[in-house]
Amino acid sequence: EVQLVESGGGLAQPGGSLRLSCAASGFTFSSYSMNWVRQAPGKGLEWVAYINTRGSTIYYADSVKGRFTISRDNAKSSLYLQMNSLRADDTAVYFCAKRYCDTRACYYLDHWGQGTLVTVSS
Amino acid sequence: DIVMTQSPDSLAVSLGERATINCKSSQSLLYTSNNKNYLAWYQQKPGQPPKLLISWASTRESGVPDRFSGSGSETDFTLTISSLQAEDVAVYYCQQYFNIITFGQGTRLEIK
């Protein structure tokens, strides 16, 4: 059974930093690209970042570019999101999500973690 | 960037009636080399992560009740729930994966 478990959320000051982790199990982590998606309280889903299987291709939403860094450790089956220069509008539940992939490419998000809440406030 | 726009923003339907949610893409999601539309639908209930319902615009995931169906092509897509059940109350999102990922703003489905 695929499991994705996020951790590292909490309260941060504006301008501060947090590092989120996502522990993966139940599948060959190194074979799948991964994403972070966030959801502000009472709002919709916003894609945040993407990383391919080897970490050689990375994309970010414009709203976090230059402040957030996605990374992965395939040996530990773990995904990370380093969040710097945090702002109040970064307050959200952050989900890690696995993409369905075949031999050619990766597509939709087929498994999601339960999410971890990040609150940015003074 | 591909912009996804859903309509309506909210919808109230009687139990047993049909619910229809629309999703429009700012550019075609049809990949001509494989003739597939890169469009998925998700259901999200309060306090839960989104759940994948449909991929490739019309392929229902395993375990998803057959009252859920997806249709459409290129830029216009529809999620239909043929006979609304109480457990279908949720927010529904469309999502394109043609170019990275973007979501629609969501449609809140309630019981009338």
Side-chain angles (χ1 to χ4, degrees), chain B residues 65-84:
Chain B
D66 61 7
R67 63 181 180 273
F68 289 91
S69 63
S71 62
S73 186
E74 298 192 39
T75 62
D76 291 279
F77 302 90
T78 300
L79 174 69
T80 301
I81 307 172
S82 60
S83 177
L84 188 71

Side-chain angles (χ1 to χ4, degrees), chain A residues 35 37 39 43-45 47 59 95 99 107-110 112-114, chain B residues 38 40 42 44 47 49-50 52 55-56 61 93 95 97 100-101 103:
Chain A
N35 293 258
V37 176
Q39 186 169 37
K43 303 296 186 184
L45 301 169
W47 169 79
Y59 301 114
F95 298 101
R99 290 188 82 160
Y107 309 104
Y108 47 87
L109 303 175
D110 62 350
W112 298 63
Q114 288 295 316
Chain B
Y38 283 46
Y42 298 84
Q44 188 180 31
L52 176 66
S55 58
W56 307 116
E61 289 298 295
Y93 295 93
Q95 175 229 314
Y97 46 98
I100 310 181
I101 283 172
F103 295 92

